[in-house]
């Protein structure tokens, strides 16, 4: 797949730049010959070998970004899964959720909007790795509530900064299908973190907080190992100095052909992950530049993502804990009785269903499902709003009759809740991966396309600036969830359903 993309991309670059063959690298000449051979109807052995190499490169790229997403988010899930073990029984568990999301929101708002200039990816990733590991060690080795909340906050800040950084790193790859490949697998990794984190804590919780959380502090070191030893460099995929296929012909023809420097001959001051030869002059986006870039993104990307996450986490934290039913008996519900053994089993079941469908939907692009058209990006948020309304009605009033006369309908109620929570996870995961995929694939502005470093910084800022939308949605949901849960439980009690009082 990459061979064909690279061949067509390289050939178009040669056609647009007549002087290119005089300075073409051996790899570029090989790709040109391979594409010409394919047009003549035969494929030689070097091309087959090249295609295998390209598949290996794409595999390494996808695996690297999958690991980035998995490791960066898994600590967040472990902290939430371990909440009951980390704070005294008298402490509201919501404080864990707050400390686990608020610092990440600060990182996502602060870094793209405040800092200027080039991103030093190596320094950022090493900083995130060390900060995450240190935060988890603080949680593990200190028993006081203050120190544990401090450790959670440090790990949260690192996770938010890490997510921002990996999304920005995906924009340094070209042509666009390669960049889309990287962001698709990163989203898949973040989805897998929900399942892996919950499973890991289930397995190590018997060792206690000190050993269990202490062992998890080793996981962040997978990130620098993957970055240095597994991740291919952007120049491996890009064969032309024209960084994007979708430049207008006028812009592309105005740019001189320049082969990408290798790791050994990078220009002084050039940052890792560069898309091309970086000008020696300094480039930094001003506040005016950033506002100009972010303004079109507010309604197109940020609002749908904010709404999806606000609805989603209001369901998870405020409504799902009240979706309780009597324990099914083997005589009446043979299948359900094997899954549900007590009323407390319902909430973990809803979370398992949610996390599984989030993982599947966040993996949609990486497994070949076409991305949503840009016009349909608000659709998951609209569906999510209907899901919230239906589940709230089921919790407060009940879609089917309750009590002894409605016993036969309990299985139907559970089935409907199961399907709606599955759809909730699909909408949430789909919104995440499609929003960031669409931003990743946006073409540069023709006004700045001639300046590769400025174009690079604009792409990094745009994808980074959207990151706070999901975190702010989660934070708003945490505020809404508490009164929502209390109100729904009171409503259930008023109609004689007392299950929520027994938890």
């Amino acid at each position: 797949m990459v061979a064909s993309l690279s061949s067509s991309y390289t050939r178009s670059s040669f056609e647009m730049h007549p002087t290119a063959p005089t300075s073409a690298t051996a790899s570029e000449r090989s790709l040109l010959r391979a594409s010409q051979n394919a047009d003549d109807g035969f494929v030689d052995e070097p091309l087959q070998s090249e295609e295998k190499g390209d598949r290996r490169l794409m595999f390494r790229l996808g695996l690297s970004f999958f690991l980035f997403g998995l490791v960066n988010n898994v600590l967040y899930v472990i902290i939430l899964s371990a909440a009951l073990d980390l704070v005294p029984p008298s402490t509201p568990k919501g404080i864990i959720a707050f400390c686990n999301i608020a610092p990440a929101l600060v990182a996502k708002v602060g870094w793209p909007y405040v800092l200027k200039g080039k991103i030093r990816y190596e320094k950022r990733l090493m900083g995130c790795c060390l900060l995450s590991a240190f935060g988890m060690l603080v949680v593990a080795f200190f028993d006081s509530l203050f120190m544990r909340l401090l450790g959670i906050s440090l790990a949260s800040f690192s996770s938010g900064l890490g997510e921002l950084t990996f999304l920005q790193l995906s924009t340094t790859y070209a042509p666009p299908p390669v960049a889309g490949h990287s962001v698709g697998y990163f989203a898949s990794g973040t989805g897998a973190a929900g399942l892996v984190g919950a499973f890991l804590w289930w397995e190590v919780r018997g060792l206690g907080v000190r050993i269990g959380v202490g062992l998890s502090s080793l996981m962040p070191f997978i990130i620098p190992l993957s970055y240095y030893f597994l991740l291919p460099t952007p120049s491996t995929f890009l064969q032309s100095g024209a960084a994007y296929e979708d430049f207008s012909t006028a812009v592309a023809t105005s740019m001189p052909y320049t082969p990408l420097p290798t790791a050994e001959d990078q220009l002084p001051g050039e940052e890792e992950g560069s898309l091309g030869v970086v000008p020696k002059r300094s480039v930094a986006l001003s506040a005016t530049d950033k506002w100009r870039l972010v303004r079109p993104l507010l309604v197109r990307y940020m609002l749908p993502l904010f709404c999806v996450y606000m609805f989603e986490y209001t369901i998870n934290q405020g409504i799902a804990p009240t979706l309780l039913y009597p324990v099914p008996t083997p005589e009446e519900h043979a299948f359900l009785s094997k899954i549900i053994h007590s009323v407390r089993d319902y909430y973990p079941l809803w979370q398992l269903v949610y996390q599984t469908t989030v993982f599947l939907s966040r993996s949609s692009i990486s497994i070949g499902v076409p991305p949503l058209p840009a016009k349909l990006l608000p659709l998951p948020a609209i569906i999510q709003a209907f899901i919230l309304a239906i589940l709230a009605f089921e919790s407060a009033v009940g879609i089917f009759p309750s009590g002894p006369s409605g016993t036969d309908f309990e299985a139907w109620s559970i089935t409907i809740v199961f399907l709606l929570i599955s759809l909730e996870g699909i909408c949430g995961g789909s919104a995440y991966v499609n929003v960031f995929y669409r931003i990743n694939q946006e073409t540069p502005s023709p006004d700045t396309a001639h300046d590769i470093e400025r174009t690079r910084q604009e792409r990094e800022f745009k994808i980074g600036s959207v990151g706070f939308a999901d975190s702010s949605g989660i934070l708003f949901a945490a505020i809404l969830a508490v009164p929502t849960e209390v109100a729904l439980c009171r409503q259930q009690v008023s109609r004689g359903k007392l299950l929520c009082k027994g938890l």
Side-chain angles (χ1 to χ4, degrees):
M1 178 182 68
V2 184
S4 61
L5 289 171
S6 301
S7 299
S8 62
Y9 183 62
T10 306
R11 291 191 71 190
S12 65
S13 299
F14 274 90
E15 290 165 2
M16 288 189 294
H17 306 286
T19 60
T22 60
S23 59
T25 65
S27 173
E28 290 163 344
R29 290 193 295 270
S30 173
L31 281 171
L32 182 59
R33 286 196 303 270
S35 63
Q36 290 171 338
N37 289 340
D39 290 341
D40 293 336
F42 66 89
V43 179
D44 54 14
E45 290 184 4
L47 179 58
Q48 292 177 343
S49 176
E50 198 169 282
E51 287 177 344
K52 291 180 181 178
D54 286 338
R55 285 196 294 268
R56 285 195 295 269
L57 282 175
M58 291 296 276
F59 174 78
R60 287 173 53 198
L61 179 69
L63 180 59
S64 299
F65 273 90
F66 181 86
L67 290 174
F68 292 154
L70 173 65
V71 176
N72 186 73
N73 284 36
V74 75
L75 297 184
Y76 169 84
V77 180
I78 289 176
I79 290 296
L80 288 183
S81 302
L84 292 176
D85 303 304
L86 295 179
V87 297
S90 58
T91 304
K93 305 306 176 286
I95 195 172
I96 295 287
F98 179 82
C99 291
N100 215 12
I101 191 61
L105 178 60
V106 171
K108 291 180 180 181
V109 172
W111 248 249
Y113 291 96
V114 175
L115 296 189
K116 298 180 179 180
K118 295 184 294 184
I119 299 173
R120 306 292 178 180
Y121 285 106
E122 289 187 1
K123 292 182 179 179
R124 261 209 208 174
L125 297 184
M126 287 303 301
C128 289
C129 169
L130 295 175
L131 192 61
S132 291
F134 179 71
M136 297 304 282
L137 288 175
V138 169
V139 173
F141 290 97
F142 288 88
D143 295 327
S144 71
L145 177 63
F146 173 78
M147 292 302 294
R148 285 189 170 175
L149 294 179
L150 175 63
I152 292 170
S153 299
L154 293 175
S156 169
F157 184 88
S158 173
S159 177
L161 181 58
E163 182 176 5
L164 165 71
T165 302
F166 293 125
L167 288 169
Q168 292 176 321
L169 180 63
S170 73
T171 67
T172 66
Y173 286 83
V178 177
H181 186 81
S182 62
V183 78
Y185 273 89
F186 176 78
S188 179
T190 62
L195 295 175
V196 173
F199 173 76
L200 286 178
W201 182 247
W202 181 266
E203 290 296 316
V204 304
R205 63 186 302 225
L207 301 175
V209 170
R210 184 152 297 180
I211 298 177
V213 177
L215 288 174
S216 70
S217 67
L218 299 175
M219 295 191 68
F221 291 96
I222 296 175
I223 288 177
L225 291 175
S226 300
Y227 183 81
Y228 287 111
F229 299 108
L230 183 62
L231 179 69
T233 61
S235 59
T236 308
F237 300 94
L238 189 61
Q239 302 298 328
S240 169
Y244 308 100
E245 288 186 301
D246 297 322
F247 279 1
S248 65
T249 303
V251 173
T253 53
S254 68
M255 294 177 63
Y257 175 85
T258 310
L260 282 175
T262 63
E264 291 78 13
D265 60 5
Q266 282 183 329
L267 293 177
E270 181 182 5
E271 176 161 51
E272 63 278 7
S274 173
L275 285 171
V277 177
V278 178
K280 292 185 179 181
R281 63 182 178 83
S282 175
V283 176
L285 301 178
S286 66
T288 303
D289 293 330
K290 292 180 178 181
W291 173 243
R292 172 182 56 82
L293 292 170
V294 84
R295 188 168 50 191
L297 309 179
L298 290 173
V299 175
R300 189 186 311 166
Y301 298 123
M302 295 188 187
L303 184 59
L305 201 60
F306 171 83
C307 290
V308 161
Y309 273 81
M310 184 176 65
F311 298 150
E312 184 173 329
Y313 277 80
T314 301
I315 293 171
N316 291 343
Q317 299 172 8
I319 299 177
T322 67
L323 294 171
L324 307 171
Y325 305 92
V327 178
T329 61
E331 294 77 17
E332 296 179 347
H333 309 289
F335 177 72
L336 282 176
S337 63
K338 295 179 181 179
I339 303 174
I340 305 297
H341 303 288
S342 73
V343 175
R344 296 177 66 91
D345 290 339
Y346 282 105
Y347 184 70
L349 174 62
W350 306 144
Q351 292 306 298
L352 176 62
V353 172
Y354 163 76
Q355 294 289 0
T356 303
T357 50
V358 164
F359 168 58
L360 293 175
S361 56
R362 286 198 180 192
S363 303
S364 58
I365 289 178
S366 62
I367 63 177
V369 177
L372 281 177
K375 293 181 179 180
L376 294 182
L377 288 179
L379 182 61
I382 296 171
I383 297 175
Q384 204 80 294
F386 281 105
I387 295 171
L388 185 148
I390 296 171
L391 289 177
F393 181 83
E394 162 62 20
S395 175
V397 179
I399 297 174
F400 296 106
S402 59
S405 62
T407 303
D408 294 339
F409 293 104
E410 288 170 6
W412 285 104
S413 297
I414 295 171
T415 301
I416 287 178
V417 171
F418 177 91
L419 294 175
L420 288 174
I421 289 181
S422 298
L423 185 57
E424 174 210 352
I426 291 171
C427 288
S430 177
Y432 181 92
V433 67
N434 281 282
V435 162
F436 286 113
Y437 180 85
R438 286 296 174 190
I439 300 174
N440 179 285
Q441 298 292 289
E442 281 198 344
T443 56
S445 168
D447 298 333
T448 58
H450 62 282
D451 188 334
I452 292 179
E453 175 59 21
R454 186 176 186 85
T455 298
R456 173 173 174 262
Q457 289 191 23
E458 287 186 353
R459 283 171 58 84
E460 290 171 333
F461 170 75
K462 285 166 69 175
I463 200 169
S465 66
V466 176
F468 85 93
D470 58 346
S471 295
S472 56
I474 296 172
L475 197 60
F476 269 81
I479 298 172
L480 294 173
V482 175
T484 299
E485 181 180 357
V486 172
L488 290 175
C489 186
R490 286 177 179 171
Q491 178 62 25
Q492 289 183 5
V493 171
S494 69
R495 62 186 176 95
K497 187 176 180 179
L498 306 178
L499 294 174
C500 63
K501 287 293 185 181
L503 296 181

PDB file of all heavy atoms in Angstrom, residues 62-73:
ATOM      1  N   GLY A  62       2.393   2.000  12.904  1.00  0.00           N
ATOM      2  CA  GLY A  62       1.129   1.755  13.585  1.00  0.00           C
ATOM      3  C   GLY A  62       1.331   1.222  14.991  1.00  0.00           C
ATOM      4  O   GLY A  62       0.674   1.670  15.935  1.00  0.00           O
ATOM      5  N   LEU A  63       2.260   0.275  15.161  1.00  0.00           N
ATOM      6  CA  LEU A  63       2.508  -0.295  16.487  1.00  0.00           C
ATOM      7  C   LEU A  63       3.051   0.760  17.441  1.00  0.00           C
ATOM      8  O   LEU A  63       2.670   0.802  18.619  1.00  0.00           O
ATOM      9  CB  LEU A  63       3.488  -1.463  16.372  1.00  0.00           C
ATOM     10  CG  LEU A  63       3.859  -2.176  17.687  1.00  0.00           C
ATOM     11  CD1 LEU A  63       2.619  -2.726  18.368  1.00  0.00           C
ATOM     12  CD2 LEU A  63       4.874  -3.289  17.427  1.00  0.00           C
ATOM     13  N   SER A  64       3.941   1.623  16.947  1.00  0.00           N
ATOM     14  CA  SER A  64       4.504   2.680  17.798  1.00  0.00           C
ATOM     15  C   SER A  64       3.413   3.595  18.327  1.00  0.00           C
ATOM     16  O   SER A  64       3.331   3.865  19.528  1.00  0.00           O
ATOM     17  CB  SER A  64       5.533   3.505  17.010  1.00  0.00           C
ATOM     18  OG  SER A  64       6.602   2.712  16.581  1.00  0.00           O
ATOM     19  N   PHE A  65       2.546   4.080  17.431  1.00  0.00           N
ATOM     20  CA  PHE A  65       1.492   4.994  17.869  1.00  0.00           C
ATOM     21  C   PHE A  65       0.434   4.274  18.706  1.00  0.00           C
ATOM     22  O   PHE A  65      -0.167   4.878  19.596  1.00  0.00           O
ATOM     23  CB  PHE A  65       0.868   5.702  16.666  1.00  0.00           C
ATOM     24  CG  PHE A  65       1.605   6.944  16.272  1.00  0.00           C
ATOM     25  CD1 PHE A  65       2.651   6.890  15.349  1.00  0.00           C
ATOM     26  CD2 PHE A  65       1.291   8.166  16.838  1.00  0.00           C
ATOM     27  CE1 PHE A  65       3.347   8.034  15.003  1.00  0.00           C
ATOM     28  CE2 PHE A  65       1.983   9.321  16.494  1.00  0.00           C
ATOM     29  CZ  PHE A  65       3.017   9.259  15.569  1.00  0.00           C
ATOM     30  N   PHE A  66       0.205   2.998  18.435  1.00  0.00           N
ATOM     31  CA  PHE A  66      -0.705   2.231  19.294  1.00  0.00           C
ATOM     32  C   PHE A  66      -0.155   2.156  20.719  1.00  0.00           C
ATOM     33  O   PHE A  66      -0.894   2.362  21.693  1.00  0.00           O
ATOM     34  CB  PHE A  66      -0.888   0.821  18.720  1.00  0.00           C
ATOM     35  CG  PHE A  66      -1.826  -0.040  19.531  1.00  0.00           C
ATOM     36  CD1 PHE A  66      -3.193   0.000  19.311  1.00  0.00           C
ATOM     37  CD2 PHE A  66      -1.337  -0.882  20.520  1.00  0.00           C
ATOM     38  CE1 PHE A  66      -4.061  -0.781  20.066  1.00  0.00           C
ATOM     39  CE2 PHE A  66      -2.196  -1.669  21.278  1.00  0.00           C
ATOM     40  CZ  PHE A  66      -3.561  -1.623  21.045  1.00  0.00           C
ATOM     41  N   LEU A  67       1.140   1.879  20.849  1.00  0.00           N
ATOM     42  CA  LEU A  67       1.764   1.821  22.182  1.00  0.00           C
ATOM     43  C   LEU A  67       1.758   3.192  22.850  1.00  0.00           C
ATOM     44  O   LEU A  67       1.560   3.301  24.066  1.00  0.00           O
ATOM     45  CB  LEU A  67       3.189   1.287  22.070  1.00  0.00           C
ATOM     46  CG  LEU A  67       3.318  -0.196  21.709  1.00  0.00           C
ATOM     47  CD1 LEU A  67       4.788  -0.562  21.473  1.00  0.00           C
ATOM     48  CD2 LEU A  67       2.732  -1.070  22.810  1.00  0.00           C
ATOM     49  N   PHE A  68       1.986   4.251  22.067  1.00  0.00           N
ATOM     50  CA  PHE A  68       1.926   5.604  22.639  1.00  0.00           C
ATOM     51  C   PHE A  68       0.547   5.861  23.260  1.00  0.00           C
ATOM     52  O   PHE A  68       0.440   6.348  24.380  1.00  0.00           O
ATOM     53  CB  PHE A  68       2.197   6.656  21.552  1.00  0.00           C
ATOM     54  CG  PHE A  68       3.602   6.655  21.021  1.00  0.00           C
ATOM     55  CD1 PHE A  68       3.880   7.123  19.742  1.00  0.00           C
ATOM     56  CD2 PHE A  68       4.657   6.191  21.792  1.00  0.00           C
ATOM     57  CE1 PHE A  68       5.167   7.131  19.244  1.00  0.00           C
ATOM     58  CE2 PHE A  68       5.961   6.191  21.308  1.00  0.00           C
ATOM     59  CZ  PHE A  68       6.210   6.661  20.028  1.00  0.00           C
ATOM     60  N   GLY A  69      -0.509   5.564  22.505  1.00  0.00           N
ATOM     61  CA  GLY A  69      -1.861   5.788  23.012  1.00  0.00           C
ATOM     62  C   GLY A  69      -2.190   4.910  24.193  1.00  0.00           C
ATOM     63  O   GLY A  69      -2.795   5.355  25.179  1.00  0.00           O
ATOM     64  N   LEU A  70      -1.774   3.639  24.133  1.00  0.00           N
ATOM     65  CA  LEU A  70      -2.061   2.695  25.216  1.00  0.00           C
ATOM     66  C   LEU A  70      -1.379   3.102  26.503  1.00  0.00           C
ATOM     67  O   LEU A  70      -2.025   3.243  27.555  1.00  0.00           O
ATOM     68  CB  LEU A  70      -1.604   1.295  24.787  1.00  0.00           C
ATOM     69  CG  LEU A  70      -1.670   0.196  25.850  1.00  0.00           C
ATOM     70  CD1 LEU A  70      -3.109  -0.069  26.259  1.00  0.00           C
ATOM     71  CD2 LEU A  70      -1.011  -1.087  25.343  1.00  0.00           C
ATOM     72  N   VAL A  71      -0.071   3.304  26.460  1.00  0.00           N
ATOM     73  CA  VAL A  71       0.690   3.591  27.681  1.00  0.00           C
ATOM     74  C   VAL A  71       0.336   4.965  28.233  1.00  0.00           C
ATOM     75  O   VAL A  71       0.233   5.149  29.453  1.00  0.00           O
ATOM     76  CB  VAL A  71       2.203   3.483  27.396  1.00  0.00           C
ATOM     77  CG1 VAL A  71       3.009   3.872  28.626  1.00  0.00           C
ATOM     78  CG2 VAL A  71       2.557   2.067  26.965  1.00  0.00           C
ATOM     79  N   ASN A  72       0.133   5.933  27.340  1.00  0.00           N
ATOM     80  CA  ASN A  72      -0.174   7.284  27.818  1.00  0.00           C
ATOM     81  C   ASN A  72      -1.483   7.339  28.593  1.00  0.00           C
ATOM     82  O   ASN A  72      -1.605   8.099  29.554  1.00  0.00           O
ATOM     83  CB  ASN A  72      -0.233   8.246  26.629  1.00  0.00           C
ATOM     84  CG  ASN A  72      -0.399   9.683  27.055  1.00  0.00           C
ATOM     85  OD1 ASN A  72       0.534  10.302  27.569  1.00  0.00           O
ATOM     86  ND2 ASN A  72      -1.585  10.243  26.854  1.00  0.00           N
ATOM     87  N   ASN A  73      -2.476   6.545  28.198  1.00  0.00           N
ATOM     88  CA  ASN A  73      -3.793   6.606  28.829  1.00  0.00           C
ATOM     89  C   ASN A  73      -4.039   5.530  29.871  1.00  0.00           C
ATOM     90  O   ASN A  73      -4.996   5.621  30.629  1.00  0.00           O
ATOM     91  CB  ASN A  73      -4.886   6.519  27.754  1.00  0.00           C
ATOM     92  CG  ASN A  73      -5.051   7.808  26.986  1.00  0.00           C
ATOM     93  OD1 ASN A  73      -4.072   8.497  26.725  1.00  0.00           O
ATOM     94  ND2 ASN A  73      -6.270   8.145  26.612  1.00  0.00           N
TER      95      ASN A  73
END
